[in-house]
Amino acid sequence: MEALAPAQLVFFALVVMLAFAVRGTTGFGGNAIAVPLLTLMLPIQNVVAVVTVLTILSSLGHWLRDCPGRIALLPQKLLWPLAVALPLMLIGARLGGLIAGRINQLMFNRIVGAVLLGSGVALLFK
């Protein structure tokens, strides 16, 4: 991947700032804002990797701020699903990375855009 031009770097920074301001305010939505906008200038594989790392860091920051010393307060019934979900998440991420390198980028972008648009319209009428 080549370096971003100054204007692209400014766009990237503004998108990330907006997306994570929304995430910090609402607790969700940062990825839904960042990924579609950043794929306008970067390949989706790169965008997903960067946004995933930023989301992990953001979640860690929220957890450290809001829950210091509270891991023992987590209900035991939540720990088992988390233990199962983590390896499945890693497998899914790996499969997604393999698939993303083999499919038509334009077609994939259109499908993701249609799904996001459709779900947004459905939420408007809920």
Side-chain angles (χ1 to χ4, degrees):
M1 184 176 89
E2 56 191 63
L4 297 177
Q8 290 176 312
L9 193 57
V10 168
F11 178 75
F12 180 88
L14 290 174
V15 166
V16 168
M17 185 178 66
L18 170 69
F20 283 89
V22 168
R23 186 179 190 284
T25 303
T26 64
F28 70 97
N31 296 356
I33 293 169
V35 171
L37 291 174
L38 293 177
T39 56
L40 295 174
M41 65 178 193
L42 295 169
I44 189 131
Q45 299 94 328
N46 296 352
V47 170
V48 170
V50 168
V51 172
T52 298
V53 170
L54 293 174
T55 301
I56 290 168
L57 293 173
S58 173
S59 295
L60 182 62
H62 284 278
W63 183 72
L64 289 173
R65 181 192 70 206
D66 297 337
C67 303
R70 294 190 192 165
I71 190 73
L73 298 178
L74 277 176
Q76 293 299 314
K77 64 182 180 183
L78 284 180
L79 294 179
W80 175 245
L82 289 174
V84 171
L86 182 62
L88 294 175
M89 178 192 71
L90 295 172
I91 292 168
R94 181 67 181 140
L95 288 173
L98 292 172
I99 292 168
R102 292 186 168 93
I103 60 174
N104 181 307
Q105 186 72 47
L106 182 59
M107 174 83 70
F108 181 74
N109 287 350
R110 288 180 177 165
I111 291 170
V112 171
V115 168
L116 288 173
L117 184 60
S119 62
V121 169
L123 286 172
L124 286 174
F125 295 104
K126 181 177 180 184

